[in-house]
């Protein structure tokens, strides 16, 4: 299996640079906020974080392609860095500290594209999570000061904690009934939302989570962290990986039941 240690170290460097850019403007009274064509907000910090990541990659990995939420796709080839400069921009705008920069390296192989490195950095929470293919998933302050992540061993839905995003997205896709049934059958339900739901699945503090509408940059980094922690990450159709436009993540033991409630 290839060694992705150098790529993982670079991903941490990218996250450090993005953290500096985002924290500099977090809670700034003069923060510039605009509305994109899809009616979602974007701030100057989103753009600044993606620009600094692209700048470092241009010097360190000039042959790799880059896909980012704010500036689109650049370059071609079997290796592509996938970036969400701020996952949770609405939280960022309102001063809620639950947001993160998501950085993944996606590599083309015989079975299709797959994430091989992922870093999720939430500087306002003083938390970071990361993983590399075949090397496990970790959380901590640095590569040398980290704790390995393991998903939970919960086997019964009645004992499980479920995290979701907003209700409106499920209602718009005519899947709200399934979500409500699942929430009634779980031990505990909370709407942590965005990246945090997946990181808590990887940590074992939440057992399953799902979202009905996502892009690759929302999922690539969380997917490999969950998988390397021993969990499962699929689309709502059950296809493994972050390419389905929606997501279901679990400790693996409850995944089929999760899809039974929310799948197409």
């Amino acid at each position: 299996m290839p060694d992705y240690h150098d790529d993982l170290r670079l991903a941490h460097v990218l996250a450090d640079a993005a953290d500096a850019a985002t924290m500099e403007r977090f809670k700034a009274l003069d923060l510039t906020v605009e509305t994109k064509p899809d009616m979602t907000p974007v701030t100057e910090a989103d753009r600044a974080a993606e620009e600094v990541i692209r700048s470092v990659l241009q010097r360190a990995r000039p042959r790799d392609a880059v896909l980012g939420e704010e500036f689109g796709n650049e370059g071609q080839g079997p290796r592509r860095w996938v970036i969400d400069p701020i996952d949770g921009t609405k939280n960022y705008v309102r001063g809620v500290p639950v947001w993160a920069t998501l950085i993944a390296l996606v590599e083309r192989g015989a079975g299709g594209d797959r994430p091989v490195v992922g870093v999720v950095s939430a500087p306002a929470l003083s938390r970071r999570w990361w993983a590399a293919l075949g090397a496990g998933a970790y959380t901590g302050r640095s590569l040398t000061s980290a704790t390995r992540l393991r998903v939970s061993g919960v086997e019964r839905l009645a004992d499980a904690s479920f995290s979701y995003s907003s209700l409106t997205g499920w209602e718009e896709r005519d899947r709200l009934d399934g979500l409500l049934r699942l929430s009634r059958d779980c031990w505990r339900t909370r709407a942590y939302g965005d990246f945090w739901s997946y990181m808590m699945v990887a940590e074992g503090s939440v057992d399953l989570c799902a979202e009905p509408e996502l892009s690759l940059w929302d999922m690539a980094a969380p997917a490999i962290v969950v998988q390397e922690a021993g969990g499962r990450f699929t689309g709502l159709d059950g296809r493994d990986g972050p390419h389905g436009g929606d997501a279901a993540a679990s400790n693996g033991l409850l995944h089929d039941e999760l899809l039974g409630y929310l799948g197409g």
Side-chain angles (χ1 to χ4, degrees):
M1 181 175 292
D3 182 355
Y4 295 101
H5 185 70
D6 287 346
D7 293 311
L8 182 59
R9 284 194 300 175
L10 175 59
H12 277 271
V13 171
L14 299 174
D16 290 341
D19 287 354
T22 53
M23 287 301 292
E24 181 180 4
R25 300 299 291 155
F26 184 49
K27 295 188 177 181
L29 297 179
D30 60 343
L31 180 71
T32 301
V33 183
E34 300 174 7
T35 301
K36 294 191 287 189
D38 63 0
M39 302 307 293
T40 60
V42 60
T43 72
E44 61 189 89
D46 291 82
R47 296 189 174 112
E50 185 168 326
E51 284 174 340
V52 73
I53 290 172
R54 286 176 179 268
S55 177
V56 175
L57 284 172
Q58 190 173 33
R59 296 192 301 272
R61 295 288 191 277
R63 296 183 180 180
D64 292 351
V66 182
L67 171 66
E69 180 177 9
E70 305 309 331
F71 297 108
N73 199 41
E74 181 180 1
Q76 297 180 351
R79 291 164 46 97
R80 180 169 60 164
W81 294 87
V82 179
I83 305 159
D84 188 344
I86 299 180
D87 182 55
T89 299
K90 292 177 183 177
N91 283 349
Y92 186 92
V93 168
R94 292 297 303 269
V96 178
V98 184
W99 49 271
T101 296
L102 312 182
I103 300 166
L105 174 61
V106 175
E107 196 171 74
R108 189 174 305 150
D113 292 355
R114 63 177 179 176
V116 294
V117 166
V119 172
V120 176
S121 190
L125 296 174
S126 298
R127 295 294 310 275
R128 186 176 289 185
W129 303 260
W130 63 88
L133 186 66
Y138 295 85
T139 184
R141 294 183 177 274
S142 68
L143 284 167
T144 57
S145 177
T147 301
R148 188 154 189 173
L149 298 175
R150 298 285 187 187
V151 295
S152 75
V154 173
E155 297 180 344
R156 298 175 64 246
L157 204 59
D159 299 325
S161 180
F162 169 58
S163 178
Y164 63 98
S165 53
S166 68
L167 294 177
T168 53
W170 296 100
E171 186 173 28
E172 289 168 358
R173 286 153 190 82
D174 199 27
R175 293 184 177 181
L176 183 59
D177 287 346
L179 181 77
L180 295 177
R181 286 190 293 108
L182 175 60
S183 67
R184 295 186 191 107
D185 291 343
C186 287
W187 167 65
R188 192 167 191 257
T189 302
R190 289 291 184 272
Y192 298 114
D194 298 323
F195 74 96
W196 209 13
S197 295
Y198 304 104
M199 296 305 98
M200 284 193 277
V201 168
E203 290 180 339
S205 52
V206 166
D207 309 299
L208 57 165
C209 68
E211 291 186 88
E213 183 181 17
L214 295 167
S215 297
L216 180 60
W217 49 73
D218 299 307
M219 298 184 284
I224 188 168
V225 173
V226 169
Q227 290 166 346
E228 286 294 321
R232 192 173 172 200
F233 190 106
T234 74
L236 295 176
D237 61 0
R239 182 170 57 145
D240 287 320
H243 301 286
D246 46 41
S250 77
N251 63 4
L253 301 171
L254 298 169
H255 207 82
D256 289 343
E257 288 186 82
L258 173 61
L259 296 178
Y261 283 89
L262 300 178

